[in-house]
Each structure stands twice: as structure tokens, then as C-alpha cells.
Amino acid sequence: MLLIPCPWCGDRDETEFHYGGQAGVSYPARPADLSDEDWGEYLFVRDNPKGPLAERWSHSAGCRRWFSITRNTATNEIVR
Amino acid sequence: MSEHPDRLWRNPEPRSGYDVVIVGGGGHGLATAYYLAANHGIRNVAVLEKGWLAGGNMARNTTIIRSNYLWDESAAIYEHALKLWEGLSSELDYDILFSQRGVLNLAHTLQDVREGTRRVNANRLNGVDAEWLDPDQVREFCPIVNTAQDVRYPVLGATLQPRAGIAKHDHVAWAFARKADELGVDLIQGCEVTGFLKDGNKVIGVDTNLGPIYAGRVGLAAAGHSSVLASLAGFRLPVQSHPLQALVSELLEPVHPCVVMSNHVHVYVSQAHKGELVMGAGIDPYNSYTQRGSVHVIEQQMAAALELFPLFARAHVLRTWGGIVDVTPDASPIIGPTPVDELFVNCGWGTGGFKATPASGWTYAHTLATGKAHALNEPFALERFTTGALIDEHGAAAVAH
Ligand SMILES: Cc1cc2nc3c(=O)[nH]c(=O)nc-3n(C[C@H](O)[C@H](O)[C@H](O)COP(=O)(O)OP(=O)(O)OC[C@H]3O[C@@H](n4cnc5c(N)ncnc54)[C@H](O)[C@@H]3O)c2cc1C
Ligand SMILES: [Zn+2]
């Protein structure tokens, strides 16, 4: 069970949250210019490091806000 | 229990080079090595395993084998596997305790009923054995399932694949390893691949903790760690690594005659040959390589198991553990070439690749031997994430096994 630091509510149990995957993936600036490869990459490929990963969480059973944290996927340690 | 052969495999030092190097000594890597030697006569092969043979997901899974997938592409490859399973003990000369006791996939909602009956029809059209059972027939087939209709998620019916079942995972791995070794394949344990040797865009070998090993072709079969290897080779894969947990009870008298799975309440249960109740649930939602999941996932799975099997209330949990599974966006595997020449990948089997072990090895060996896809693995190439020809098996694959 992870203890997740909500920036607004403090440390709460993982069961209060919803996972949103990698942080910082933005919608393509000029979608019409994307090649098929780039679209595939945007839609389906995310980082999957064994180590620090910046990720999105939503405090869905609390304040319901989204935020980003960096967690080490090799240890579950939340580094920021 | 059956007798084991006297000798399993040698433990050779790695040679300086091989025709084919396979990274990962789980079931898929070992089956690939065996079929490379047996079907294609390619014996100058090494399997490199960073830990001990088949100590990864192969040692951690709940061993459910079935082929009742929805789409033609999946039915073809999983049914090929099931046919191979049916002859595997005699082919490998080792009793893998393959038990075709039947697998029930329960339906608890109207949508489950529709999905299940559709899948039964799709299976039959593909020559896969499948039946639809109503709640009374479910109780007849598996008397310990609670089919009362006044519970939160009543059993509204189930699909049944009579030829499906379980096998003894360790025996499967050891059987493939022993035969591959006998045919000349070097199985090298304690050998971690830490990088790739390249000539331009072509892979010519791997770096390991035991030194460089050259190879004509390299095949990844590293399950949960494929992304880590891909990033060492300079490309990204559409897979995410998640913990998946399982648990066993103490040994009990035979009480559970088949395999029961429920996608809706997220539990799957069978009784192992020795007598343990073997149970699994869904993946933890977040990415992780820690080989442990969260307790609440187990709590939910146990609650579901108790509602379905009130009899289990008196059983004790003996052991829980986690494995790292590699999940793709369409819940189907990836087998084929990568952006790096002579480097191939077999991954993305997610929560359900044990059942595919022989067909995964069979088709991957073909690809590594010829450089081309076998008809059965052609649709499962990486390029489907560019063309959009996805094989969406979430209904049949995620996360029941
Ligand atoms: C809890 C659980 C339950 C499951 N239940 C079922 C089920 O009931 N039915 C089913 O069909 N499937 C099931 N699965 C899925 C199944 O176990 C996997 O899909 C399948 O085992 C993956 O293939 P593999 O056997 O080769 O993987 P693994 O056995 O994980 O083999 C990969 C190997 O690669 C090695 N490796 C990784 N990185 C390196 C490196 N850098 N260098 C060298 N070696 C490396 C690892 O040590 C590992 O031994 C389950 C999985 C889990 C975790
Ligand atoms: Zn909050």
C-alpha cells in the first residue's frame, strides 16, 4: 500500500487515489502534421523506467484534484 | 507426484558468441530455445538469465491454460498453444501434469452475459471448444460455487472451455530446459544483460556481467523487464510494467474440481495438484518493478473469493507474492522485429502468457530462425501500434487468466 502525498490534503492511503500514468505528456501542438509513427507513439507509448517516474495521481476520494509526483518504480519511494 | 529425471541441464560457461542469444530464461525463452533446436536445427544458442532459470513470472503465475479468446488472431495462437500442451508431456518426455479440468469464466452482469455468449460463438467459429452454462449448470459443474441469486454479484451464467485447465509450471520450465540443453543449447544462469553491442543500427551481441557475448541475432524474452532492455538498445515499447499478485492456501483435500475465473469480481481460483487453493486477482494500477503489490488488492480478491466460495472461509493463506507483468494497450502480446536490426522482441503477454508458452516459443523460434513472422505471430508485430490494427482482448484477457 502506497502512502501518497496529496499537495492539498497531506499523506493519504493509496486507496483514496486514481492513477493517471506518466506526467507531462501533452497533446501534440500541430496534430495535422503528425506522421502515423508519431501518432502511434503519442497514443500508445509511455515511459516505463525502472527508477524515477514523474506520474499523475488524482485524489478521487478526497479533494478530487490532480497532481504530479515522482516515484521510484524500483523501490516505490516517492522522491518529490 | 511424478518422478523427475536424474539430470536436468548443464551449467556451462558462456562461449564468446552464438548464432542466437535469447535474453530471459523464463518459460518463453526456454520454449523458444527448444523449438529453435528441435524445429529449425539451430543449436548454437544461448539463453541468458540474470537470476535462476524460470524464477520470474514463470515461477509466480497461477498456471491457468485456456484458448477461449475473442479475436481470430488470438484464438489461432492460443489454440495452437493448447494443442501443443496436449502433447507436451510426451514430446518433452517429462510429466508436466497438464490437467484439462475445464475453465469457467463467470458472468455477473447482463453485459458479462452478452460478452460471454458472444465469445462462445466466436470460439466455436474458430474451432475452439466452448459452451454457455446457466447458473444451475454452473453449480453442477462446480458444486462449491455459490450460485445464490441474492448476493451482490450473482452468477448469471458462465462460459466453459472443457479442454482448458492447469499444468505444473516448474515442470514445464524444467522440461523445456532439459530438452533444449540436450539439443546443445547453453542455459546460462546468473548472467544479466546490461547493454547491447551494435554495429550501426545492427545488434551484434550483448554486454553482460560475465562479459560481452556476440550473437548473429538477439531475441528478448524478458517479460516485465522488456522496456528496460529496449531502452538500453535505444527504443521504446508500448508496454507498462505492473505488479500482479497471487496467493495460496495451505494444502487441502480435493474440493475444487475445475478452474473458476471472474473478471467482474476479479478473482480466479483453482486447486493445485498438491492441494493448495491458488488464487490471483487484478494488477496494481501503478507502474512498479518491486515484485510486490498492495494489500488492498488482496483484500478485495479475498472478499470476492469468499462470496463465490463460502467454503473457503476456513482456509488459511499460506503465502502471497507478486510478479512484474508487462501490459500493452490492447492486452495482446508483441512478437517480432524491433527498430534495431537483428534484435527481436517477445513481450507484452501481461497477466496471461503462461498459457501461451509453447506457441510463444514455437512462433518466436520461427521468427528468430528465419527473420520473418510465422503466420500465427504476424498480427502481433510492433507495427500494429502504428497501423492501428490492434487486437483488443481486454474482454477475454484482462485480467482473468
Ligand atoms: C501472479 C501472476 C499470475 C499469473 N497467472 C497466469 C495464469 O494463470 N495463466 C497465464 O497464462 N499467465 C499467467 N501469468 C502471466 C505469465 O506468468 C507471464 O505472461 C509469462 O510467464 C511471461 O513469460 P516468461 O515465462 O518468459 O516470463 P518470466 O518467467 O518472467 O521470464 C523473463 C525472465 O527474464 C529475465 N530477465 C529480465 N531482465 C533480464 C536481463 N537484463 N538479463 C537477463 N535476464 C533477464 C528474468 O529474470 C526472468 O526470469 C501470471 C503472472 C503473474 C505474475
Ligand atoms: Zn487531496
Side-chain angles (χ1 to χ4, degrees):
Chain A
M1 177 95 65
L2 306 179
L3 194 60
I4 296 175
C6 172
W8 293 281
C9 311
D11 288 350
R12 297 295 183 91
D13 259 12
E14 176 198 334
T15 47
E16 296 185 14
F17 295 85
H18 175 82
Y19 186 60
Q22 186 186 345
V25 182
S26 38
Y27 191 75
R30 290 136 90 53
D33 295 349
L34 253 50
S35 66
D36 288 353
E37 283 73 21
D38 291 340
W39 261 121
E41 180 91 3
Y42 167 68
L43 286 175
F44 300 124
V45 185
R46 295 290 178 271
D47 289 348
N48 186 24
K50 186 174 187 173
L53 172 67
E55 59 192 9
R56 302 288 286 160
W57 289 85
S58 151
H59 192 187
S60 44
C63 65
R64 302 193 57 75
R65 291 209 250 184
W66 283 94
F67 58 92
S68 302
I69 54 173
T70 300
R71 184 178 53 93
N72 186 329
T73 63
T75 59
N76 277 340
E77 192 192 350
I78 291 164
V79 284
R80 195 173 51 78
Chain B
M1 292 295 244
S2 55
E3 292 282 308
H4 296 288
D6 295 340
R7 194 188 60 79
L8 289 171
W9 52 81
R10 301 162 292 136
N11 272 308
E13 293 298 314
R15 297 205 291 272
S16 62
Y18 294 89
D19 292 340
V20 179
V21 159
I22 295 165
V23 184
H28 291 206
L30 294 168
T32 304
Y34 166 71
Y35 289 117
L36 266 174
N39 291 1
H40 303 278
I42 299 177
R43 299 176 175 202
N44 184 22
V45 173
V47 177
L48 311 182
E49 166 54 50
K50 70 174 174 181
W52 59 95
L53 281 188
N57 288 337
M58 187 62 173
R60 295 160 198 272
N61 77 84
T62 52
T63 78
I64 299 168
I65 294 168
R66 61 188 174 91
S67 64
N68 56 352
Y69 281 68
L70 179 65
W71 300 107
D72 296 352
E73 297 87 344
S74 323
I77 195 165
Y78 288 104
E79 178 60 17
H80 183 66
L82 186 47
K83 289 195 172 119
L84 290 170
W85 282 114
E86 285 171 330
L88 215 52
S89 287
S90 67
E91 167 159 9
L92 299 177
D93 191 20
Y94 196 146
D95 188 357
I96 59 162
L97 298 171
F98 181 47
S99 160
Q100 293 176 288
R101 55 184 66 180
V103 169
L104 292 173
N105 290 79
L106 302 180
H108 301 279
T109 65
L110 186 55
Q111 181 54 30
D112 278 355
V113 172
R114 290 178 179 144
E115 193 277 330
T117 47
R118 176 188 181 196
R119 189 142 50 81
V120 163
N121 289 325
N123 291 160
R124 288 183 171 178
L125 288 170
N126 275 317
V128 174
D129 57 319
E131 293 166 31
W132 177 256
L133 304 188
D134 65 26
D136 288 339
Q137 292 168 311
V138 169
R139 193 172 42 239
E140 210 172 295
F141 193 77
C142 187
I144 59 172
V145 176
N146 178 14
T147 49
Q149 297 296 300
D150 60 352
V151 294
R152 185 164 181 201
Y153 297 112
V155 172
L156 302 182
T159 65
L160 167 64
Q161 184 178 22
R163 285 164 62 242
I166 59 170
K168 184 87 180 124
H169 54 299
D170 289 336
H171 292 209
V172 175
W174 300 336
F176 275 121
R178 174 168 163 270
K179 276 291 174 198
D181 171 274
E182 210 172 278
L183 294 172
V185 171
D186 280 359
L187 307 175
I188 299 161
Q189 310 186 60
C191 181
E192 177 168 4
V193 170
T194 54
F196 292 86
L197 307 169
K198 280 177 142 175
D199 177 8
N201 189 45
K202 184 172 135 194
V203 92
I204 53 168
V206 292
D207 255 327
T208 77
N209 59 322
L210 303 179
I213 301 174
Y214 289 87
R217 241 169 218 160
V218 176
L220 306 180
H225 278 75
S226 299
S227 311
V228 174
L229 286 156
S231 79
L232 290 173
F235 65 97
R236 298 208 298 167
L237 284 168
V239 302
Q240 299 281 293
S241 297
H242 292 263
L244 176 65
Q245 304 179 77
L247 58 90
V248 289
S249 72
E250 77 265 52
L251 307 186
L252 301 169
E253 291 290 311
V255 288
H256 191 346
C258 58
V259 181
V260 170
M261 303 195 280
S262 166
N263 261 3
H264 193 77
V265 302
H266 260 54
V267 70
Y268 38 93
V269 191
S270 66
Q271 190 166 17
H273 295 84
K274 271 194 300 186
E276 309 95 314
L277 296 168
V278 184
M279 281 180 228
I283 56 172
D284 281 74
Y286 51 84
N287 296 35
S288 173
Y289 290 87
T290 57
Q291 300 212 140
R292 58 197 288 188
S294 293
V295 182
H296 68 90
V297 174
I298 293 195
E299 281 176 345
Q300 280 163 14
Q301 150 194 357
M302 298 292 268
L306 274 187
E307 186 171 284
L308 280 178
F309 303 95
L311 183 77
F312 291 179
R314 305 192 52 181
H316 297 101
V317 171
L318 208 63
R319 215 165 58 240
T320 78
W321 64 88
I324 299 302
V325 299
D326 48 349
V327 178
T328 61
D330 62 355
S332 289
I334 301 166
I335 324 171
T338 70
V340 179
D341 295 341
E342 304 301 340
L343 178 62
F344 294 79
V345 69
N346 180 331
C347 70
W349 294 94
T351 58
F354 174 71
K355 63 178 68 67
T357 302
S360 166
W362 182 282
T363 57
Y364 200 33
H366 179 98
T367 297
L368 288 172
T370 63
K372 296 194 181 61
H374 186 282
L376 289 171
N377 67 315
E378 201 163 17
F380 295 98
L382 201 45
E383 65 179 15
R384 74 178 185 273
F385 297 100
T386 301
T387 62
L390 303 185
I391 304 164
D392 182 1
E393 284 293 359
H394 280 100
V399 81
H401 292 302

